[in-house]
Amino acid sequence: MTRARVRPGPAIVHSGIGAIDELPELLHRDGITRVLRVHGARAHRAAAPFLPHLNAIEIIDAGFTSECSPAEITRLREVATSRGAEAVLGVGGGKVLDTAKAVGHPLALPVYLAPTLVSTCSGWSAVSVYYDEEHRHLGHEIWETPTRGLLLDPRIVFDSPVALFVSGIADTIAKHVETRAAFDRADAADTLTAFGGLAAARCGELVSRHGIVAVDDMRRGVRSDAWTMLAEACVITAGLVGALGAEAGSATAAHPIGDALSAFAQTRDLLHGVKVAYGILVQLAYERRWEEIDRMNELYAALGLPRSLADLGLSAEDPVTLGTIAEIATGAHSSVHLLDPSPSAAELIATLHALEDRQSRLDSVVLAHHPSPPLKGTSPWPKSKASPSTTPRSSRPTSA
């Protein structure tokens, strides 16, 4: 019997066209009559045409103020408690979904998630990542209770900004790069960990084979098989890496580097996956996988991901910049220490110098950014009429 501690994922998963239509029956079977809905304005506009009728279910609409922050979580918990919410429904991107989990799980309320983006694996993972109101990373929390339901409907996520899909692809690459060494060291007899390793390898394989085509198809408004595979990989396959891989499936260096980059004003508004993408290169450089970096450079240029600090608006010649990145990324509680051996701050600075020297010959990259230019095509699905019950009942302003 394996002793790995796993958090497999949502209890119920519906993925595919019409997945969101399962929500009423799911709530009905669970005996839910009053739901706190967490969403931003843009997320609601994207999902509203496809949201099913929620007859006999009261929607408590409290909005969302753009960050999965302690203050916002506290506010929403107070609303849920004062209004007698029986469940939490998150409709939005990663920060909305992380907030929904952070609101519902401590209150012992079932949590249902409907992603409007595929920019992270938040819809699957049992984790909430916290930021302050200035978008600076604060840490994360792991939940013992699984999400009750995940409803991943391509009709909702297909018309999302292309840049956010690119961000999700970068985060999916990280699942492979960050966990590879740990899975290689893991006990082969540990069945669950082995499946986590297979999921991680699958993440790398799918992006390598289909990433550029999938993004190009989305830009053209074509929902292709490549796009579908990558969209599900960003949420489900990537989520399975940490869920089944336990400690071996944890982040190592790429995410701490990305978190460290959020300390700079120049990068604070960049997408999560864009910053993690640079962290991937740093980890590969630390592992001396230079040929892999050379292969990654072509993919990064096509997708709009940074290949150097200059692409991020930072100077590789500034010792303060390099020192700040290294100090934050190698902090006492950083996942970088899961590497064996783990880098010291001085070793990480040396790695940054080596990477930047190698990348200095490359042309600059125009980064994927939000909002993306409009798609050339149109959504290939008919939109259903939204129920009156999906109309916000609060006049509170909402955002992203």
Side-chain angles (χ1 to χ4, degrees):
M1 178 181 292
T2 180
R3 292 181 295 175
R5 187 178 187 183
V6 302
R7 298 171 180 84
I12 297 172
V13 177
H14 292 289
S15 179
I17 297 173
I20 194 67
D21 298 332
E22 303 295 329
L23 179 61
E25 178 61 23
L26 181 55
L27 294 173
H28 175 73
R29 290 202 313 265
D30 289 345
I32 304 300
T33 61
R34 189 177 297 112
V35 176
L36 177 76
R37 186 170 61 193
V38 180
H39 68 83
R42 285 193 291 270
H44 184 266
R45 286 196 296 270
F50 305 105
L51 291 177
H53 292 268
L54 296 177
N55 297 325
I57 296 177
E58 178 184 351
I59 302 298
I60 304 166
D61 204 324
F64 178 69
T65 59
S66 83
E67 279 298 345
C68 182
S69 66
E72 177 66 351
I73 292 165
T74 297
R75 181 184 74 84
L76 290 169
R77 285 179 187 168
E78 290 174 350
V79 173
T81 301
S82 65
R83 297 288 299 275
E86 300 169 348
V88 178
L89 170 63
V91 181
K95 292 185 178 182
V96 168
L97 305 186
D98 279 6
T99 301
K101 288 180 280 187
V103 171
H105 290 323
L107 298 177
L109 301 178
V111 177
Y112 307 85
L113 302 176
T116 59
L117 309 171
V118 287
S119 54
T120 72
C121 64
S122 178
W124 188 279
S125 72
V127 178
S128 290
V129 181
Y130 300 137
Y131 295 84
D132 66 15
E133 301 302 331
E134 298 300 320
H135 315 297
R136 291 171 297 207
H137 179 257
L138 296 177
H140 69 274
E141 190 157 2
I142 299 174
W143 305 108
E144 297 297 332
T145 306
T147 297
R148 177 59 181 156
L150 167 64
L151 306 168
L152 180 58
D153 197 318
R155 296 177 301 173
I156 295 174
V157 301
F158 185 75
D159 284 335
S160 61
V162 176
L164 293 171
F165 182 43
V166 170
S167 179
I169 289 175
D171 218 24
T172 302
I173 300 171
K175 295 295 184 182
H176 173 52
V177 171
E178 290 191 278
T179 64
R180 176 168 43 193
F183 281 127
D184 287 345
R185 293 192 304 268
D187 183 358
D190 185 333
T191 301
L192 292 173
T193 299
F195 275 111
L198 289 173
R202 180 67 170 163
C203 286
E205 174 191 350
L206 286 171
V207 173
S208 176
R209 293 177 60 183
H210 304 292
I212 294 176
V213 172
V215 171
D216 184 58
D217 288 342
M218 190 178 187
R219 286 179 176 141
R220 295 184 297 111
V222 177
R223 187 188 64 84
S224 62
D225 290 342
W227 179 86
T228 301
M229 283 190 290
L230 261 295
E232 291 191 328
C234 288
V235 179
I236 297 174
T237 313
L240 281 168
V241 176
L244 297 178
E247 287 76 12
S250 300
T252 48
H255 273 80
I257 295 293
D259 294 337
L261 290 172
S262 70
F264 299 94
Q266 299 96 312
T267 67
R268 205 159 292 159
D269 292 332
L270 294 179
L271 296 169
H272 168 77
V274 168
K275 288 178 276 194
V276 169
Y278 181 73
I280 291 170
L281 298 182
V282 175
Q283 176 155 350
L284 292 174
Y286 177 70
E287 296 173 337
R288 294 177 173 80
R289 297 178 183 267
W290 299 109
E291 291 184 1
E292 192 166 342
I293 290 174
D294 291 340
R295 292 195 300 271
M296 204 76 78
N297 281 332
E298 181 180 356
L299 175 68
Y300 275 35
L303 299 186
L305 295 173
R307 303 188 291 187
S308 67
L309 286 173
D311 288 339
L312 294 164
L314 300 173
S315 173
E317 304 301 320
D318 180 12
V320 175
T321 295
L322 300 189
T324 299
I325 293 172
E327 180 181 1
I328 295 175
T330 59
H333 302 291
S334 172
S335 63
V336 75
H337 300 300
L338 294 173
L339 288 176
D340 185 19
S342 66
S344 65
E347 289 171 328
L348 198 54
I349 290 174
T351 298
L352 288 165
H353 277 301
L355 175 64
E356 290 296 319
D357 287 345
R358 189 180 184 90
Q359 302 291 82
S360 62
R361 60 185 171 80
L362 300 174
D363 294 334
S364 61
V365 171
V366 177
L367 297 182
H369 64 283
H370 177 58
S372 296
L375 296 175
K376 296 179 182 178
T378 58
S379 175
W381 299 287
K383 298 183 178 182
S384 58
K385 184 178 180 181
S387 163
S389 65
T390 64
T391 302
R393 298 186 181 182
S394 169
S395 59
R396 178 182 179 85
T398 57
S399 57

